[in-house]
Amino acid sequence: MKLSINWLNSYFKHTPDWDNVLHKLTMAGIEVEDIQADDNDKIIELKITPNRGDALSVLGLLREIKVLSGLEYTKPAQNIDFKSNINDKMGIEVIAPEACPNYYTLIIKNINNKAVLPGEILNSLAASGIKSISPIVDITNYVMLELGQPLHAFDLKKVGNRLTVRFARENEKLHLLADINAVLLANTLLICDSKDQPAAIAGVMGGLNSGVGQATTDIVLESAFFVPEVITGKTKYYGINSDSAYRYERGVDPHLQNLAIKYAASLIAKYCGGEIGQIACNITQIKPIRINISYARINRLIGVDITADMVNDILSKLGFIIDHVDTNKSVTVTVPSHRFDINIKEDIIEEIARVYGYDNIVAQMPVTQYSMGTGGADKEYALKNKLVNLGYSEIIGYAFLEDKLETLFGVFDQTPVRLQNPIANMGVMRTSLIADLVKVLKYNLNRGHKRLRIFEFARVFHGETQELQPLRLSGLIYGNYTNPNWSGNNRLVDFYDLRNDLEILLYGLGEIKVVACTDNPIFHSGRCAKILLHNQPVGVLGQLHPKYKTEFDLPELPYVFELDIDYIINQTPYVVFKEVSKFQKVIRDLAFLIEAKIGVGNVLDTILNANIPYLIAANVFDIYQGDKLADIKLNNNAVKSVAINFLFQGNKTLSDEEINISMDQIQQCIQENFTIQFRVNN
């Protein structure tokens, strides 16, 4: 919002110290983004947060200045010279009072719509970035800027003697002032003329065929209170800009409509002439919000001791009505109608802290008493903590995603939930977390980072109900295994690095298996596996498909995983304790040829499940498949050479004979289950 300093000066008896005032506004949450010199004036640009619709006007800003600086001001729209001198009265019907609780209209006839408005009005509009259109429209915009109440003027001869407020019907259309032919949504609130034809989108924009033109002499002014939910998103859907909608979306004072329409009428009569009719209105009593809050709660949440008298003083300055004070215990207040954003106790506490001054609140380390529990939150924290200890950094991505990225990385058999009002081209809710990981990877690569370990813990959306929004934990590793060092050991991360991290992450939750899979289009078909916990699929890990290397211009392909957390955190952790043998371990190796299509993991599982005496571990240390084996076939299939290291240990010193017996059993187990050819036989 932009405002002229000269305009603001006109409300004060003495010119304020604007450097001090603007600093206090910024520190209290109404940030001064820019100050520009303009001839003998200065234009300030303010960043108003979405919850502070009350501050989108001169009146709202004056209130803030008084609260923060103690400066008294002349309230706008005082001593209005409003007189009705004709009996004309608009017929109105509000069919949707839940969307439009207050609706005021006023007929003004025989207006000179070619009159020239005073320079202070035109200069104030120009400084605020609003183009002068015509005297009538300029005055409605001026009142909106000064009081915060949007107004609209219809050409009386075009709309007739009756206006109706209702929601749009199917396939209704309206040619807007922005020269857009809008096909109206059923949830769009309309102002309709005497023939029940759409004349305006309520609170957003009028129709081209009902608007005020140079030839207009008779008008009907509209001043209304529309609930924010009805206006929100309409400008974006219809592709238009609207200062009125910008304010209605954030909340307008529901007690301001009568004052605003009288003020606008008095200005029109003063500068454009005309005869003022009778006000017609439909009013719904809006119950004010009353809140009781204890002083102890205020001080506990803010973190400082503010006296009860100071709290009451701050609230009074902010416009709250002090209904009851229970001495030094609590206060009951009525929220002012212009503070649309105050609904709960925490809102009031935030206001007290803001006015008290954030810079007056001394930073202190919190004191808390906490006992470890076994709930889901504790388990989630434990998983996150493990990943952090493994060198991962947590990211927080948007739940929304661009359609292209959802197509590339979404669950391939899942239809995403679409947004009615896409945000920054993000039109769907994500079905997987992997896309956000890749976006962060690309962001870091563009900034010179060549090694990355990241994870995200969040919900994905497979539907609009809670049970279709499961928790997922997804991670990504990329680049060198370690940072560059003098040893020169700078190999790239691989599948087994990620698998090892996941085994550490899930350790103690039950039996973990990693099974090769080739049916996931996101992953490299030869470097992808499903993760099983208690033989239940709980996730997937692997290297991204080579197609993404070109798509995202990646020097190397990252390895990623995604886990179903809802299942994992419901597992009861357990740890098995075993006595550590004090006797020597024995190591033997075995190498053999096997069909290339057979997974080595299947061989290891078969051996380890055979209960071989004294065998405590088996690890693959070499796999070869190349030209030297091209002439060898097993069952007419290509082969690969596999070498496995076996570790034996018992509760006694093992003899060579005992080890040989165990090795014979291992060979027999392999021969019985697979077609092989031994190369070394120990």
Side-chain angles (χ1 to χ4, degrees), residues 82-96:
F82 174 81
K83 294 178 182 178
S84 294
N85 44 29
I86 57 175
N87 293 323
D88 296 64
K89 189 175 184 180
M90 197 69 180
I92 58 173
E93 181 181 11
V94 180
I95 298 176

Side-chain angles (χ1 to χ4, degrees), residues 121-165:
I121 291 180
L122 297 177
N123 291 339
S124 297
L125 292 174
S128 299
I130 295 180
K131 183 180 178 181
S132 177
I133 298 175
S134 70
I136 303 304
V137 176
D138 290 351
I139 287 173
T140 60
N141 284 332
Y142 181 80
V143 172
M144 177 186 69
L145 285 175
E146 193 170 23
L147 299 183
Q149 171 65 52
L151 301 169
H152 186 67
F154 296 98
D155 188 316
L156 180 62
K157 294 177 181 178
K158 294 177 182 177
V159 297
N161 60 1
R162 186 176 186 81
L163 292 176
T164 302
V165 184

Side-chain angles (χ1 to χ4, degrees), residues 462-535:
H462 297 166
E464 298 187 29
T465 56
Q466 186 173 356
E467 64 272 13
L468 295 176
Q469 299 172 6
L471 274 173
R472 293 284 188 265
L473 174 59
S474 190
L476 175 150
I477 61 175
Y478 178 89
N480 292 335
Y481 180 70
T482 62
N483 286 319
N485 58 69
W486 61 269
S487 69
N489 183 17
N490 292 326
R491 70 170 179 84
L492 295 174
V493 293
D494 59 27
F495 177 92
Y496 301 99
D497 295 322
L498 187 58
R499 173 177 173 168
N500 183 65
D501 288 346
L502 290 177
E503 288 177 343
I504 294 172
L505 181 69
L506 301 177
Y507 179 78
L509 296 178
E511 183 185 9
I512 303 166
K513 291 183 179 179
V514 178
V515 181
C517 69
T518 58
D519 59 351
N520 194 320
I522 295 177
F523 292 93
H524 194 302
S525 61
R527 301 172 187 175
C528 174
K530 295 179 181 178
I531 305 166
L532 306 181
L533 182 61
H534 300 304
N535 288 320

Side-chain angles (χ1 to χ4, degrees), residues 169-187:
R169 303 187 182 108
E170 187 175 358
N171 294 325
E172 278 192 301
K173 297 179 180 179
L174 176 61
H175 193 180
L176 297 170
L177 285 169
D179 200 19
I180 293 175
N181 286 302
V183 179
L184 303 170
L185 293 173
N187 65 350

